[in-house]
Amino acid sequence: MKKSLFSPIPMAAATTAGAATDPALGLLPVWKLSDLYASKDAPEYAADLKKAAELSLAFEDKWKGKLAEAATKTGAGGIGEALVEYESLDDLLGKIGSFAGLTYFSNTSDPANGKFYGDAQAKLTDMSAHLLFFALELNRIDDAVMDACMDRDPAAGHYRPWLVDLRKDKPFQLDDKLEQLFLEKSMTSSAAFNRLFDETMADLRFDVDGEVLPLERTLNMLQEPAAETRAKAAAALSKTFGDNLRVFTLVTNTLAKDKDISDRWRGFEDIADSRHLANRVEREVVDALAEAVTKAYPRLSHRYYAMKAKWLGMEQMNFWDRNAPLPETPNALIPWSDAKETVLSAYGAFAPEMAEIAGRFFDEEWIDAPARPGKAPGAFAHPTVPSAHPYVLVNYLGKPRDVMTLAHELGHGVHQVLAGGQGALMCQTPLTLAETASVFGEMLTFRALLEKTKDKRERKAMLAQKVEDMINTVVRQIAFYQFERKVHTARKDGELTAEQIGELWLSVQAESLGPAIKISEGYEMWWTYIPHFIHSPFYVYAYAFGDCLVNSLYAVYQNAAPGFQDKYFDLLKAGGTKHHSELLKPFGLDATDPSFWSKGLSMIEGLIDELEALDKA
């Protein structure tokens, strides 16, 4: 018997090794972290910690102060040898950190997990302090000498993309002692406040008509068909956010000031320049994206929400109705097995290799799916290290959006597996390109489902949901970016009150959502739960970048461009070895072209056109 969407989904009734049983959703997988280490007290974990500490000291002793001389050698004692050793050590440290982090995010409410994670972070920071010299010293070598070294020594030449990228950090490097201080103090500054945020979020509970729920399940109620249910969930969210407003305000003020101090010392001109540098994207490109999206608000979000208000029989929707299902939306929950089949079949229709890689996440227990108390909210794909494999976390509740989230995170996972061949130093993709495979995976899944849907009402519901997801990915994320810019700019003049932050939030929300959304009391606190503001300032524009990029990529695919799949896999396999301009060139795309963003946004507008035509038919 299928459960009604009006009823809360029960917590997992029983668990087995690697799975949790949910009466409505079936067997939900729990990830197998033993692929990294058997347990927190596994002797292998302790041995690797000891080994990593010893190797870090040995590496420092062997190479510190000697890299300039090493750049003149080939083979033994050369830069290539140092890079091979450094990459191996980076992989080991990454494995330790990944296990500690994934264990913590499995249940952030468990004090033992918190201590384990905190202790691991402290030890890894101590080890990293001994390795900090490496990048700094490499960047003090004359460019001509390093170029000659890479040309002469194949081992060093292999790491050319990493070394060339490293040089971009040169203007913003501090001296060795200051860099070490920044690194070691991060444990008691940014890292500490990140952890405070995570543990606060995990402990939050929301009282909806006497039922006490965690964040994910309460947010999920905003997608319920009953308007009264959505209103009660929104009220519960606002109340709990308000009860914890002082903590969130303190965290936001502290981290914004911490970033301002770092930016000032390093000499960054704009508040988002450090993120642009990390993303290897030019400020002008991001500015062009933000401007294009902002100008498109009336054609996208304003227009769509006005249509949706009419469909729901409202003159103006409340802010909590934004993601409400249309009357045409099927109410049945989607079992996990159906979600798996949907995503894998869509991936397989594009490329069998893509489905095969994604299938391993299910078969080899690389996914954690149940929503449970203490588990990190939201969803993510963690690459771990090339010597291991990625893991995916979702909070699966059986809604159509949860299927799309699964497709999104598996896209990341496939990307991470393919890029792993570049090794620990060069597998990491800049955030702007890291969203490519995830959004493309979503698009493949959506298009596959849409093609199978012949019923006009169901097709309308599917198109509407996709438009909403794209608005959430593009319009909402650029509004988030504008909000962050306002907060970090205002913070330079002094500490911000919760009311001031709320006013900044409402200003960008009103502009982006448009007149069809009624913004009422309580919504001024909804900035508090967005983790990207805390963990990765200015990350959010990467979603809009990725969505518009994928829209353009998908248009190339739809036009049956020869060899598209091979070019696409080459893009994913490149990891962090190429700039976005190099990766997009084979597809005839250029993100520096002002019209590039208009092309991506036109796909969203086209879907809204199709919805309007369906409505009139």
Side-chain angles (χ1 to χ4, degrees):
M1 180 174 135
K2 291 187 178 175
K3 207 164 174 59
S4 164
L5 280 179
F6 288 90
S7 306
I9 301 170
M11 294 306 296
T15 60
T16 60
T21 303
D22 186 292
L25 305 176
L27 280 177
L28 297 173
V30 176
W31 53 26
K32 188 174 69 174
L33 297 184
S34 58
D35 286 354
L36 297 171
Y37 297 101
S39 64
K40 289 184 289 189
D41 55 1
E44 293 83 2
Y45 177 79
D48 275 357
L49 264 180
K50 183 173 183 290
K51 178 183 175 183
E54 292 170 351
L55 288 176
S56 299
L57 286 169
F59 185 86
E60 181 181 38
D61 183 63
K62 180 177 179 179
W63 295 107
K64 189 172 183 179
K66 302 166 188 173
L67 294 182
E69 181 185 351
T72 65
K73 298 179 180 179
T74 300
I79 291 290
E81 180 185 336
L83 283 162
V84 170
E85 291 180 13
Y86 183 77
E87 181 172 55
S88 176
L89 191 47
D90 187 77
D91 191 281
L92 178 59
L93 296 177
K95 181 182 178 184
I96 293 167
S98 294
F99 179 70
L102 294 173
T103 298
Y104 173 65
F105 289 120
S106 297
N107 185 358
T108 60
S109 296
D110 184 347
N113 282 353
K115 173 177 168 49
F116 179 69
Y117 180 53
D119 287 348
Q121 281 192 309
K123 290 170 184 174
L124 291 170
T125 300
D126 289 343
M127 295 174 206
S128 298
H130 293 291
L131 304 176
L132 187 61
F133 78 92
F134 190 64
L136 301 175
E137 201 170 312
L138 283 174
N139 266 350
R140 284 199 291 267
I141 299 172
D142 184 83
D143 288 353
V145 173
M146 187 58 78
D147 287 339
C149 172
M150 290 187 285
D151 291 339
R152 184 181 65 251
D153 184 355
H158 169 74
Y159 294 95
R160 185 185 298 271
W162 187 79
L163 291 166
V164 169
D165 246 7
L166 188 65
R167 286 184 195 169
K168 295 175 183 174
D169 296 328
K170 262 189 181 186
F172 311 102
Q173 283 183 188
L174 305 174
D175 65 56
D176 292 15
K177 284 292 184 184
L178 278 173
E179 289 288 0
Q180 185 172 349
L181 178 64
F182 268 61
L183 175 67
E184 294 188 20
K185 287 287 286 181
S186 68
M187 279 295 300
T188 53
S189 56
S190 57
F193 280 90
N194 271 262
R195 182 174 165 188
L196 173 62
F197 174 84
D198 289 338
E199 294 187 6
T200 301
M201 291 305 304
D203 286 341
L204 292 186
R205 293 296 179 265
F206 305 86
D207 188 336
V208 184
D209 257 1
E211 184 171 15
V212 180
L213 301 169
L215 177 64
E216 284 293 336
R217 293 181 179 277
T218 313
L219 288 171
N220 189 59
M221 295 178 78
L222 299 177
Q223 299 176 47
E224 293 286 353
E228 184 182 4
T229 303
R230 298 194 299 271
K232 288 179 179 178
L237 288 161
S238 294
K239 182 181 185 308
T240 300
F241 293 155
D243 291 343
N244 293 271
L245 198 54
R246 286 182 63 189
V247 173
F248 293 124
T249 303
L250 173 63
V251 169
T252 298
N253 271 292
T254 303
L255 289 175
K257 185 62 179 177
D258 184 78
K259 186 180 184 304
D260 179 50
I261 293 169
S262 177
D263 286 353
R264 181 160 39 84
W265 275 83
R266 294 188 182 282
F268 287 110
E269 293 179 5
D270 184 79
I271 50 178
D273 274 354
S274 60
R275 174 60 60 199
H276 302 333
L277 177 65
N279 285 346
R280 300 306 188 238
V281 64
E282 300 73 22
R283 188 200 304 172
E284 296 75 20
V285 172
V286 179
D287 289 347
L289 164 65
E291 183 181 358
V293 175
T294 303
K295 284 182 177 177
Y297 286 169
R299 307 195 314 270
L300 302 179
S301 50
H302 297 188
R303 178 186 172 203
Y304 173 75
Y305 289 135
M307 291 166 59
K308 184 171 183 177
K310 183 184 71 174
W311 296 334
L312 294 177
M314 303 175 180
E315 192 167 316
Q316 205 181 23
M317 288 190 291
N318 295 297
F319 70 83
W320 57 78
D321 296 321
R322 194 170 50 82
N323 291 319
L326 299 187
E328 294 88 345
T329 304
N331 285 343
L333 293 180
I334 302 167
W336 176 257
S337 58
D338 289 0
K340 173 184 174 181
E341 170 59 25
T342 296
V343 176
L344 291 185
S345 63
Y347 277 22
F350 172 72
E353 182 185 355
M354 194 170 174
E356 186 275 325
I357 296 171
R360 294 178 63 194
F361 283 78
F362 296 94
D363 299 339
E364 300 180 36
E365 299 173 86
W366 299 352
I367 303 177
D368 194 297
R372 58 178 179 268
K375 179 179 172 180
F380 63 74
H382 182 30
T384 72
V385 289
S387 64
H389 58 75
Y391 285 93
V392 160
L393 178 145
V394 294
N395 282 274
Y396 189 79
L397 297 169
K399 295 289 180 71
R401 274 198 174 91
D402 294 329
V403 179
M404 290 300 157
T405 298
L406 180 63
H408 181 102
E409 299 305 337
L410 283 172
H412 278 307
V414 170
H415 193 174
Q416 290 159 358
V417 168
L418 290 170
Q422 297 291 347
L425 296 186
M426 297 186 291
C427 66
Q428 297 295 332
T429 307
L431 292 178
T432 41
L433 292 168
E435 293 300 329
T436 304
S438 54
V439 178
F440 195 81
E442 276 191 81
M443 183 64 79
L444 289 173
T445 305
F446 166 71
R447 289 293 180 182
L449 288 172
L450 191 65
E451 284 177 16
K452 294 178 184 176
T453 305
K454 305 304 178 187
D455 181 84
K456 177 185 169 183
R457 286 169 56 83
E458 285 189 22
R459 187 176 181 87
K460 177 183 175 183
M462 283 189 65
L463 281 168
Q465 184 170 293
K466 183 58 180 173
V467 167
E468 287 178 23
D469 288 345
M470 294 174 95
I471 287 174
N472 285 338
T473 303
V474 178
V475 170
R476 185 166 166 80
Q477 301 303 324
I478 290 300
F480 283 176
Y481 175 63
Q482 305 289 18
F483 166 70
E484 284 190 277
R485 291 196 64 87
K486 289 188 176 189
V487 168
H488 284 260
T489 300
R491 180 65 179 89
K492 288 176 179 291
D493 296 327
E495 193 161 310
L496 302 174
T497 65
E499 290 72 23
Q500 286 174 308
I501 300 174
E503 287 170 8
L504 296 177
W505 170 258
L506 292 182
S507 69
V508 297
Q509 290 298 304
E511 181 187 13
S512 64
L513 296 175
I517 301 287
K518 180 182 179 181
I519 297 177
S520 50
E521 187 178 354
Y523 193 55
E524 71 277 3
M525 296 176 288
W526 282 45
W527 54 270
T528 54
Y529 80 96
I530 310 297
H532 299 90
F533 300 158
I534 305 303
H535 297 309
S536 305
F538 303 109
Y539 177 111
V540 288
Y541 73 72
Y543 287 110
F545 192 111
D547 197 279
C548 289
L549 187 156
V550 165
N551 288 345
S552 298
L553 263 183
Y554 200 84
V556 175
Y557 170 56
Q558 282 184 310
N559 292 330
F564 180 90
Q565 284 89 337
D566 290 338
K567 292 175 186 175
Y568 179 71
F569 272 85
D570 286 343
L571 182 154
L572 301 187
K573 289 175 183 176
T577 62
K578 294 182 180 180
H579 188 261
H580 63 77
S581 58
E582 294 179 83
L583 291 171
L584 294 179
K585 191 174 182 180
F587 303 96
L589 301 173
D590 179 5
T592 64
D593 181 350
S595 67
F596 175 81
W597 303 115
S598 299
K599 291 175 186 174
L601 295 171
S602 68
M603 180 175 281
I604 308 175
E605 197 169 1
L607 292 176
I608 299 174
D609 289 342
E610 189 174 345
L611 267 172
E612 195 168 51
L614 271 175
D615 203 37
K616 292 177 180 177

